[in-house]
Structure formats: C-alpha cells, structure tokens
C-alpha cells in the first residue's frame, strides 16, 4: 500500500501522537510506503481565501468556481498542490484527528476546504458527461479510514447514545468527503475515553491499532449506495423501492438496518 | 432581542454577504440590538494551539483541560475572550456560513474549537454536582439559528436525498454545539441552489430571510431530548421505552418520526 497519513493534533506528546507514531512504524514494518501530512507541524493554513486564487478574473467570488479555475490554470498555492500530489500518489488515506465539537479540528476541516477542490476531488465527468460522484470521482479507487479519539464512553456514541451514533456523526466525513470523491470508507478506528486513558489503556489502544493496520488491505469498506449504480432518481432522491418508506442517514447504506445492534 | 450574528464567508460581494446585510438591517429596524463577528473581516485565527494557553503548567497537553485552566485563570487570548463576552451578552445567536464539505468552513469550526471552551460553554455543574449538558450548560437560555447555503437542490438534502437529510447533516451543530451547551436550536434557514442563484433568486431569499427574522422571537425550537429530564440512562443511552427499538439521529428528537415527509 501507499498510505498518506494525515494527522491533526497540536501536541507531539499526546496519546494521538503516540498512536500515529505506532501506526506509521507498523505500516513501514509491514513493507508499505507511508507519506505524512502532520498539519500542526507543517503550520497548515486552513482558511480558504482570496490568496488561494491569485489569477481569478471574475468580479464576484464564487469560491468553488474560483478554486476550480485556479486548479485548472495551476494557480493554486504550492501548499495545496503539494497535498494534492500526495493524494494522487496514495492508494490509502488515514485521517487521524481528535473529534472536537463532533467534527474534525479546524486545521483539518480547512485541509478539506482548500485541497479537495472542484476539478480535482469532485466535479469531474465521465465520457458521457455525467458527474462522477458518490462511489466515483477524482479520488476513485482509493480507500480511506478515520482514526479518531473522543473523551466520552463508547456507550454514549452507540446506536442510541446521547451524542448520536458515531457512524452518523462521521457520516459527513465517510459519505460526504470520502465516498463523494470516490474513496471507499473503511470502518473507523475510534478511541473512547481518551481524556481518562491510563498508560495501560494507551498501550492497549496502540496494540489494537497495530492489529487494525495489519488487516487493512483486506478490510471491507462501509457499503454506501452508488449514484452511478442508479440507486437515486433524477432529483437525487433514493428510489422508492430502496429502503422503502424509511428515512435517516442509514438508508444510504447498502444494508440499512445493518448497523451494530442497539 | 440581543443577537450575535456570526458570519463566515470570504467574500463581501457574495449572496451570503447580502443576506447578512439584509438580516442585520432587518433586526435593527425591528428594534433589536445586533453585534457581529465577521470572522473573515476580523482575520479570525481558527487553529487551537499552545499559544492559546500561555499559562499552562502541565507537561502533557490535554487540550480540553488546558483550555479550561486558561479560562479559569483568565489566560485565554484576548480574541477568544472578546467572543465569549459577545456570547454572554447575547440571547440569540445566528450562525451564518456556506456549507462546505457538509460542515462549517474551517474559520467557523475553529471558532467553536477556540471559543466554546470547557468551563465556559460546557463542563459546568449544577448545585448537585451534575454536569449541565444537552438542554442545559454554560449558554443555557439562549436560542441559536443556522443560516446556510448549499449549491445543491433541496430534494438532494431531503429525508431521502443523496447528500443526507439536512437536519441530520446539521445535527453536529444543532445538537452537538447548540443543545450540548444549553442553547435551543431554531429551525435552520437554508438557501439551496446557491451556485446558480440569479438576481431574482437572491431577492427572493432576502425576502424570505426578512420574514423568518420577524418570526424569530416566536419561533419554536427543534425539540431535542433532555439529559437532565431523565431521557438517558447512566450509560448515556436512551431509555429503552423511548423511541423503543429504533436507532438513528432522529431518536434524539422529542417527536421521532416527526421530521418532514419523505
């Protein structure tokens, strides 16, 4: 595998940093190639702004169009193009971050916002002129996995847990970022109770992550529905015979109701 | 009302900026007080980092604990404390942003990450020592509303739309940010098809926003379940008799199944 490990934690002595170190070492010991984007260490600038599009000609800024134009003309910043080159190289992406306010830290959200531009990650078309999206796209053929940590207990992120099912909380990343741009989303690796982890807990989590990484090449991805496969109608609504009469994010999985038991 | 209008769009000539201008003017004409946080105009720095906690004493950084300590000792940055003061002043919050990658732009995500610290927005306790959370918390008594724009059509964000129901996509903000810290989440104001909006569309959206803002004081919030009200057990799992046998984010609403028709 050629793995890009994207890391978004401010502290080099944190539990997450030790998981990243262990993970990268394990992959290399297994013979895989690894490149890294340690966003804090790089001083990654996460804010989309006019400086990203030095060549833009339009008077009124539509961010997506300006990004697409700058991508096409090669005018995106060198920091953005370096990240795109890493993604183009990789066949596997690990997105490693602490879950803050039920999403990625700003520094990582801004990596999505600035790197995954129209024309590169999405908004690409097939030979028939159809938009390649949801199971296809600029990053098609790749696999991607979230590694994240939360302070709370596992039960509170379960199917009926107070914070919402972790699979639903991660839906914007799994389905909205990975699957939308063509990458298969692998089951997330979630560290619970991170705020109270002892040295023994940390050791156990590192061992679990090693096992997960050894299984990675064979790991079955989450099965989301396919746009090109005809699961949605012309209004981009799920066809009535699929998950008939049901709503909720789970209808977009191939086995709705197939989530972990409540 | 005392409204804090938080705006996170890079371009002063955008549809969103015109909606913000209209919204702020409308509220003032109605006799309400308005303060603003225009994050791009302010040059808001969204990245949580060690510079936020000049006084931290612990060797190993646990971000939440470091933030809490800096809040307690008054050592948070002046930019953070200014935002907290605005929140303390406000009884109503408008969070206005374009939806990028199914979430807020990084500049706004980083406003959550840096401003809503433990001890201020959450992690506060009642007289019995219980954590005030989900319907209660440091921002209790306030009401908050998302104003957002998406490029896609409304059908694609409907209950069975390909992108996921907009109410589920916004759950991390409505339930995870607003409700978690004690703020009642008002129904969101969503502009669809923003990428293709004509001048007439923009005019129509501005008129709809004016109507919504006139109704704001009477608007019924989304009804999420209450932790203090006893809807969850000691493992923070929804009690079995509530929304019995069901899973999905909708079980955390008081009227599960009460979402808009599919």
């Amino acid at each position: 595998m050629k793995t890009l490990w994207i890391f978004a934690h401010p502290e080099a002595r944190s539990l997450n940093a030790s998981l990243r170190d262990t993970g990268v070492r394990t992959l290399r010991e297994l013979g895989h190639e690894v490149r890294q984007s340690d966003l804090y260490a790089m001083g990654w600038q996460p804010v989309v702004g006019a400086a990203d599009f030095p060549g833009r000609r339009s008077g009124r800024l539509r961010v997506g169009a300006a990004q697409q134009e700058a991508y096409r003309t090669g005018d995106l910043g060198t920091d953005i193009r370096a990240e795109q080159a890493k993604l183009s190289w990789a066949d596997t992406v690990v997105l490693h971050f602490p879950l803050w306010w039920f999403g990625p830290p700003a520094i990582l959200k801004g990596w999505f916002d600035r790197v995954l531009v129209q024309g590169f990650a999405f908004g690409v078309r097939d030979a028939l002129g159809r938009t390649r999206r949801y199971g296809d796209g600029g990053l098609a053929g790749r696999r991607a996995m979230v590694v994240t940590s939360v302070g709370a207990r596992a039960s509170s992120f379960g199917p009926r847990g107070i914070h919402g099912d972790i699979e639903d909380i991660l839906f914007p990343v799994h389905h909205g970022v990975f699957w939308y741009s063509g990458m298969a989303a692998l089951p997330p690796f979630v560290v619970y109770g991170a705020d109270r982890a002892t040295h023994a807990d940390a050791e156990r989590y590192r061992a679990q992550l090693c096992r997960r990484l050894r299984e990675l090449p064979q790991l079955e991805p989450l099965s989301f529905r396919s746009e090109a496969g005809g699961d949605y109608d012309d209004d981009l609504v799920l066809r009535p015979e699929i998950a008939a009469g049901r709503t909720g994010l789970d209808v977009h999985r191939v086995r709705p109701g197939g989530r972990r038991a409540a």
Side-chain angles (χ1 to χ4, degrees), chain A:
Chain A
M1 295 189 299
K2 293 176 173 175
T3 301
L4 173 59
W5 194 297
I6 302 164
F7 182 63
H9 194 287
E11 176 54 58
R13 292 164 299 166
S14 61
L15 168 59
N16 275 300
S18 84
L19 287 167
R20 187 268 320 265
D21 293 344
T22 298
V24 169
R25 192 172 56 242
T26 300
L27 287 172
R28 286 184 173 145
E29 286 170 2
L30 291 167
H32 302 300
E33 293 176 73
V34 183
R35 294 178 70 180
Q36 298 188 61
S37 293
D38 182 336
L39 300 183
Y40 271 93
M42 293 157 63
W44 176 256
Q45 195 286 100
V47 178
V48 169
D52 284 355
F53 333 114
R56 84 178 154 102
R57 284 170 292 233
S58 55
R60 180 181 288 254
L61 177 62
R62 284 186 169 147
V63 171
Q67 288 179 313
Q68 184 174 28
E69 183 180 320
Y71 174 70
R72 191 179 55 77
T73 58
D75 285 329
L76 287 174
T78 53
D79 57 344
I80 297 173
R81 283 181 287 146
E83 296 306 299
Q84 291 176 340
K86 291 183 198 172
L87 273 172
S88 297
W89 166 85
D91 55 39
T92 307
V93 175
V94 173
L95 208 64
H96 183 177
F97 58 95
L99 195 74
W100 290 351
W101 290 109
F102 303 93
I107 201 169
L108 177 55
K109 180 55 174 49
W111 188 92
F112 300 162
D113 294 346
R114 294 183 68 228
V115 174
L116 303 178
V117 304
Q118 192 162 352
F120 172 70
F122 71 103
V124 294
R125 295 178 184 278
D126 68 12
L128 297 173
R130 294 174 303 201
T131 301
R132 296 169 55 196
R133 190 171 54 182
Y134 287 120
D136 197 0
L139 301 176
R142 292 170 181 75
R143 291 150 59 91
M145 181 172 79
V146 165
V147 174
T148 194
S149 65
V150 300
R153 291 169 283 173
S155 61
S156 65
F157 274 101
R160 289 167 55 87
I162 193 168
H163 302 305
D165 189 324
I166 191 70
E167 294 191 18
D168 290 334
I169 296 299
L170 291 174
F171 184 90
V173 176
H174 287 155
H175 187 264
V177 178
F178 294 166
W179 190 237
Y180 184 78
S181 61
M183 297 194 284
L186 299 172
F189 183 86
V190 184
V191 171
Y192 293 100
D195 291 350
R196 293 173 299 281
T198 63
H199 286 291
D201 292 333
E203 196 53 54
R204 186 166 45 84
Y205 277 123
R206 284 190 288 270
Q208 288 174 357
L209 180 61
C210 287
R211 281 199 295 280
R212 168 64 72 93
L213 293 172
R214 279 194 291 272
E215 299 165 358
L216 207 58
Q218 290 79 40
L219 206 59
E220 276 290 312
L222 306 177
S223 297
F224 291 117
R225 299 193 185 281
S226 151
E227 182 174 2
D231 291 338
Y232 298 89
D233 66 18
D234 290 344
D235 291 322
L236 298 178
V237 173
L238 197 61
R239 293 190 182 283
E241 66 273 20
I242 298 177
R246 299 181 62 245
T247 58
L249 298 178
D250 202 38
V251 302
H252 302 290
R253 299 188 61 175
V254 170
R255 289 177 294 274
R259 66 170 81 208
R260 298 155 299 151

